[in-house]
Amino acid sequence: MPIEMNYCTQCGTKLEKKFLEGEGDVPYCPTCADYRFPVFNTAVSMIVRDPKGNILLVKQYGRDFYILVAGYVNKGEDAEHAVAREVEEEMGLHITSLHFNHSHYFAPSNTLMLNWTVTIGDETAHPNREIDSYAWFTPDEARQRVRQGSLAEEFLVGYLDQKWSFKPR
C-alpha cells in the first residue's frame, strides 16, 4: 500500500484535500498555502548485457534466487549516473551504452523503478559484498532463472518480448 502523506513536509501542519485544476483533489497545506505532491523513492534496475548478448543475474543478501542488478538513486543524482554507479559499485563493471526501457511504481517499497538495458565491455566482474553470487545467462536461460513473480522478471520479460505488463501488488 502506498505511503500516504498526511502532514506537510515543510511545517508539519495536517494536510487537507483541495481541488487543483487539472489535478483533482491534492493534499494542501493551509499554513504554507501550498499543494504537497506525493513523495517516493526512485531506484534503477539494469539488464546488464555482455558483448556476446548474455544477461547478468545476481543473488543478494542470502536469498537463493536470481534478480537484476538494482539500486536507489541518490538525492541530486541523475538516473543515468545512478545506473553506471550501481553497476560499477556492485559488479565492478563499466558500462559502454545504456538504453531506458520502462518504469513502474512499486507500492510495497513506495518506489518508482526505472529499468535500463546496459552493455559492458569485455571485462571480468568483481562483485562487492552486496552480491552473494552471479552468473551470465543466454536470454532464454535468464528468462527461466530470474525469480518468478518478481518485478525483476517483469522487467526482463518485458525487455525480451518488448511488451511490458505489470501485475498489481
Side-chain angles (χ1 to χ4, degrees):
M1 169 166 285
I3 297 170
E4 195 67 35
M5 186 173 26
N6 295 313
Y7 296 90
C8 178
T9 56
Q10 298 298 312
C11 72
T13 299
K14 183 157 180 58
L15 298 173
E16 53 191 48
K17 297 286 183 175
K18 184 174 179 181
F19 183 79
L20 177 61
E21 183 74 34
E23 296 287 338
D25 287 335
V26 176
Y28 179 81
C29 177
T31 302
C32 296
D34 207 357
Y35 292 93
R36 299 292 179 220
F37 290 90
V39 176
F40 51 85
N41 302 309
T42 306
V44 292
S45 73
M46 287 71 69
I47 298 164
V48 179
R49 301 206 66 171
D50 70 10
K52 298 174 191 168
N54 293 314
I55 296 173
L56 176 71
L57 297 177
V58 299
K59 290 183 179 180
Q60 290 183 289
Y61 311 119
R63 299 180 182 126
D64 192 29
F65 50 77
Y66 284 107
I67 58 172
L68 300 173
V69 175
Y72 285 96
V73 177
N74 292 329
K75 182 177 179 179
E77 182 179 40
D78 294 335
E80 294 83 355
H81 182 265
V83 168
R85 178 183 53 75
E86 286 292 340
V87 172
E88 185 173 350
E89 279 180 8
E90 291 188 9
M91 296 305 303
L93 298 169
H94 301 89
I95 66 170
T96 59
S97 69
L98 75 155
H99 173 79
F100 178 73
N101 292 324
H102 209 281
S103 63
H104 182 69
Y105 175 73
F106 188 65
S109 64
N110 190 37
T111 303
L112 177 64
M113 295 293 298
L114 308 174
N115 181 253
W116 304 76
T117 300
V118 301
T119 305
I120 60 151
D122 190 18
E123 57 185 317
T124 303
H126 300 283
N128 70 8
R129 67 183 186 284
E130 291 180 51
I131 306 298
D132 297 331
S133 64
Y134 70 95
W136 292 96
F137 298 100
T138 67
D140 286 339
E141 291 169 335
R143 183 189 299 264
Q144 298 303 313
R145 300 297 300 270
V146 71
R147 183 180 184 194
Q148 302 298 299
S150 69
L151 189 56
E153 178 194 30
E154 292 178 72
F155 277 129
L156 178 62
V157 169
Y159 165 74
L160 293 172
D161 296 345
Q162 289 298 290
K163 181 180 177 186
W164 285 266
S165 141
F166 297 94
K167 299 175 183 105
R169 299 192 191 284

